Amino acid sequence: MAIGLGAKVTMLDINLERLKAIKHILPSIQTLFSNDFNISKELLVTDLLVGSVLIPGGKAPKLVTKSMIKTMKKGSVVIDVAVDQGGCIETCHPTTHQHPTYIVDNVIHYGVANMPGAVPFTSTQALTNTTLPYVLQIANKGWKKAIKENKSLENGVNLVNGHVVH
């Protein structure tokens, strides 16, 4: 959406294949390997930072430190989508829809936990669209055959016959 509105967008990630795929789909996006040097460099010119680190089952690492936030332009905005998992921005903490923002070092922070909760119908549609293919595989093949054929489904199995398997 930001690209469509004319913004210069940079995406940082540690997955080079993902960066290549994004660059193929959106050639105008700048992609960079995520490391302290590149994050620090980009924050000097960033108007809006969206932190969206996810470590399944774990706490998000603090990739943006307080000292990095101090280098950002006055009035810049940071949004920490990972705030539910501890956040990836050191200065960000969970907020509410009633009081969504606060300021640290002249940078506006937004850390509403459970952001999809603000748009329940849309988030339910997105979740349904994502999970329906898995549900159909299980329904059509049975769970045992479905998990043998799909590693993602297999990784999602936690209990079998009352025993923890993951």
Side-chain angles (χ1 to χ4, degrees), residues 44 65-73 91 104-105 107:
L44 296 172
T65 65
K66 183 169 178 54
S67 61
M68 290 175 177
I69 293 291
K70 288 181 180 187
T71 69
M72 295 180 74
K73 297 181 283 186
T91 54
V104 174
D105 294 322
V107 175

Side-chain angles (χ1 to χ4, degrees), residues 30-41:
Q30 178 183 1
T31 57
L32 293 172
F33 186 78
S34 182
N35 58 36
D36 286 345
F37 176 81
N38 284 337
I39 293 169
S40 296
K41 183 181 70 152

Side-chain angles (χ1 to χ4, degrees), residues 50-114:
V50 179
S52 58
V53 175
L54 175 63
I55 307 296
K59 189 174 179 180
K62 303 289 186 197
L63 299 181
V64 179
T65 65
K66 183 169 178 54
S67 61
M68 290 175 177
I69 293 291
K70 288 181 180 187
T71 69
M72 295 180 74
K73 297 181 283 186
K74 180 179 182 176
S76 296
V77 175
V78 297
I79 299 172
D80 196 341
V81 178
V83 74
D84 298 74
Q85 286 79 34
C88 61
I89 300 168
E90 186 176 27
T91 54
C92 207
H93 61 76
T95 60
T96 65
H97 290 293
Q98 291 75 25
H99 303 285
T101 62
Y102 59 95
I103 298 174
V104 174
D105 294 322
N106 296 311
V107 175
I108 301 165
H109 288 59
Y110 179 92
V112 172
N114 187 21

